[in-house]
Amino acid sequence: MNPVATESDAAETDGSIETFLSEYCINCHSVDDPGGEREFETLDLQSIDDDAFVLTQDIIDQLTLGHMPPEDAEQPSDDVRRVVIDALTKQLHQRRSMSTSTGGQTVLRRLSKREYLATIADLFEMDMSMFDPTVGFPRDNTVEHLDNIGDSLVMSSYLLEKHLDAADQIVEKVFQNESQPEEQSWHFDDRFVTQQELSIAHRKAFNYRYMCLYDCPLADKPEGAYGSVRAFEHGVPHDGIYEIRVRAQALHRDSPYDLDRLRIDLNEKFRLGIRPGNIETGELHVVQPIQPLLAETVVEDNELKWYTFEIPLDRGYTPRFTFENGMDGMRSLHTRFHRIYKDMLPPEARGGRGIVAGRNAMLKFGKMPQIRIHEISIRGPLKQDWPRTPLASVLPDGTFVEDNLQSVLKRFASKAFRRPVTDDELDRLIAIYQTRRRHGRPEFEAMKDTLKSVLCSPAFLYFHPECEPGSDRLSSHAVAERLSYFLTGSMPDASLRKRADRGAFDDQTLVSETRRLLNSNRLDGFVEGFVDAWLGLRSLGEMPPDRNQFWQYYASDLETDMKLESQLFLRHTIENDLPVTEWLSADYSFLNRDLARLYGELDQVPPQNATRFRQVRFSDPRRGGLLGQAGILTVSANGIETSPVVRGVWMLENVLGTPPPPPPDDVPAIDPDVRGAKGIRDLLAKHRTLDACNQCHRKIDPLGFALECYDAIGRARNRYPNRSPIDTSGKLPGGESFEGPSDLKHVLLEQKEFFARAFTTKLLAYALGRRIEPEDRATIDEILVDLKDQDYPTRQIIERVVTSDAFARR
């Protein structure tokens, strides 16, 4: 029997889950005869026990699939089934929230890896660009992309061992030179032996007289992507600033070869870069884990000139020279070009077959775009103030005398602990020093061991939820710590620390310090951390785009550019106190030439200063703001294809703040469909014929369809690869229709309070380092109150987060 649903059916069933289970389920799932080993008769629907969670979820899944009740049993109406599913899902969500609840309090939490590295850099005033003592750390757990949620940042025995190792590396690096090292010089003008694949060709072409760079740094199977000096492969002997002089020229920017195959923009002047390399890490001619771009310059065409750089280099690192906007995949071109352009070669270079013959001919006689280096000079470390800053951060005059032990430890521990060190803590540190001395350690080594113990102390590794006496209000040092890690990602600076030393913060002081930090260059820490957390860009690159289909992603290092675009947009809204709705309404973004090429706006970014980001207004109405940013569109794809479901879920989570529940385990995933718009729409329409699935997919799918006009790296498109047209129209559950991203922006702006609340919720969680609880809704509403007419100004939201009651409470 399949009764017709009525409104009274739904009303009667709503909130009466027990009645539904009794009527339709208990006969088969009773204590005496639990069908499928599932017994519902004693199920406590208020329990937060794991077994109760599993059983409740199983009921939801089976109802959603239509597998329960079985077809030979009495069936509920579709409306009754849907109401019960919704009621169970809502209740389960509430019970799960209770099970992970911290009672609105920030639990004791440690520094995340991101925060730890920034804190070490500030504590010792140390350049960390080539030094990462956390390489062996396990990856931090995240909660909704947030990497700073206290209850997820566990401290395992393995991680503690890694912290001990890291402390040893850090302190030894700080004290690696007890006296100022002497400046040295090196000069190289011959024997530029290169990687094995190019070695024979370079010997035949010019007997290693030059260093030649061809490929871009991220090329697959690179040839000539990284040029290093074989005689200097073990790097510089000391940390410091080094002068690098390079005599070089750019060749063949007028290359006659097919640009589509060269995969290079010959309108741009060639850019020479310097990236560090460490022979202990691996081969120098390929990508290494740590290789920041230390310097870059434009190289003039044909003219041989000296170029001078001053760059930091850590001990053991050697400079590697790169062609930053070079070709992508030169290895595949030798044989092809040797055959296609044989008439451009001298007769003696036209014979032979295979890659060796092609490479030898093309590199000696061809016109492959390249940067050719003739000479390299290295000098350093350049004279600097002594002691160097990291050493002076511990020993201002660079020397240690045992009589000064107490003052050294007190000053260092107070800075490391982000609060005054107590007498008991200082006594324990001195006891560690004395113990090391009794075991035969020299004075200086015992002092270093004591510093290492500071870096492994809970007072350094954990935040301090210290409260004012008799109150749940945080102490001034705890507030300063929370404020600094929120807005800079690192420890309080000297100014904020002095303010905390003077006592409690009032709202006026908090706002003043917030504005100071928002106007400082330390804001980078917030911008980078929050963009990763809010928009999920930390995951960018985890599903890397296919190299053949999306080679531009690698040739132009678009992953870095995509992140920077979103970061610059956030910084722009903060610096100008723009509404958060600017993310939805803007017709502009911040692009360099590589992103402008991806977006089809190349004319707006000339080849001069191609790497500089600038504000660009779009001619394409689909672009501008959040929905058109390539990083968002890439992180919500799978690297090969797109899925309206994945992008729709991303929109619900990050734009509207209404994430859908996870799909039932037994419902097969809907894979991206390469057959075209009609194919994927048909698949999803069929999926929605399951009435319970329709509840979520009618919210998800339209948002995802609107973004189908972008491929897996965010390029605009009107057709799928099979040439079938893309339909970006949709209709939301509320009845609002739209024809594509441009229309969708207007629809979302009509619901701007949802976007503002989603933004503020994530911002508050990021600031507090804890999950947002149901009781926090009142705090969020208070933050946003009376800001709607102003479209929710960004700086005002940040300031209200900082002055909220939740921010100053444990």
Side-chain angles (χ1 to χ4, degrees), residues 351-394:
R353 298 178 62 184
I355 190 170
V356 173
R359 184 186 284 121
N360 290 345
M362 295 306 299
L363 294 188
K364 184 172 183 178
F365 300 105
K367 294 184 178 293
M368 304 298 278
Q370 62 189 268
I371 294 176
R372 179 170 290 187
I373 295 174
H374 294 242
E375 294 181 68
I376 298 171
S377 292
I378 303 172
R379 180 171 65 90
L382 303 181
K383 296 295 184 183
Q384 302 174 71
D385 292 338
W386 184 259
R388 294 185 65 244
T389 303
L391 177 57
S393 69
V394 182

Side-chain angles (χ1 to χ4, degrees), residues 528-588:
E528 294 170 13
F530 185 65
V531 163
D532 279 352
W534 174 38
L535 303 177
L537 294 189
R538 183 176 291 108
S539 302
L540 196 62
E542 290 183 0
M543 300 185 73
D546 176 75
R547 274 194 170 270
N548 291 324
Q549 189 176 354
F550 304 109
W551 61 267
Q552 299 93 334
Y553 183 84
Y554 303 95
S556 302
D557 191 13
L558 289 180
E559 181 178 322
T560 300
D561 294 342
M562 289 173 179
K563 282 193 174 187
L564 188 53
E565 177 189 7
S566 297
Q567 291 166 9
L568 289 172
F569 199 98
L570 176 60
R571 178 180 282 277
H572 176 68
T573 62
I574 292 172
E575 290 177 344
N576 297 280
D577 196 21
L578 298 177
V580 295
T581 53
E582 195 81 356
W583 288 90
L584 300 177
S585 62
D587 63 352
Y588 63 86

Side-chain angles (χ1 to χ4, degrees), residues 441-498:
R441 295 282 280 177
E443 294 176 1
F444 193 69
E445 297 301 316
M447 184 271 295
K448 290 197 297 183
D449 291 345
T450 309
L451 297 181
K452 294 172 187 177
S453 73
V454 170
L455 298 183
C456 295
S457 166
F460 173 70
L461 294 176
Y462 283 81
F463 289 83
H464 315 296
E466 179 187 23
C467 291
E468 300 292 349
S471 168
D472 67 346
R473 309 293 290 179
L474 293 175
S475 69
S476 61
H477 291 99
V479 169
E481 181 180 59
R482 179 172 286 180
L483 180 66
S484 184
Y485 279 95
F486 172 37
L487 294 181
T488 74
S490 186
M491 62 189 294
D493 61 10
S495 176
L496 186 56
R497 175 59 188 271
K498 287 179 182 178

Side-chain angles (χ1 to χ4, degrees), residues 54-67:
V54 171
L55 198 53
T56 305
Q57 184 64 63
D58 193 42
I59 294 173
I60 295 170
D61 292 346
Q62 295 305 310
L63 286 172
T64 300
L65 289 168
H67 291 175

Side-chain angles (χ1 to χ4, degrees), residues 631-652:
I632 307 305
L633 299 163
T634 301
V635 82
S636 59
N638 71 357
I640 301 175
E641 299 153 337
T642 61
S643 165
V645 176
V646 175
R647 283 180 170 166
V649 168
W650 188 96
M651 291 280 290
L652 286 176

Side-chain angles (χ1 to χ4, degrees), residues 4 87 183 208 238 294 443 446 591 625 688 745 770 793:
V4 178
E183 181 181 297
Y208 307 127
H238 306 283
L294 301 177
E443 294 176 1
L591 314 180
R688 288 193 298 273
K745 291 179 187 180
R770 67 165 171 84

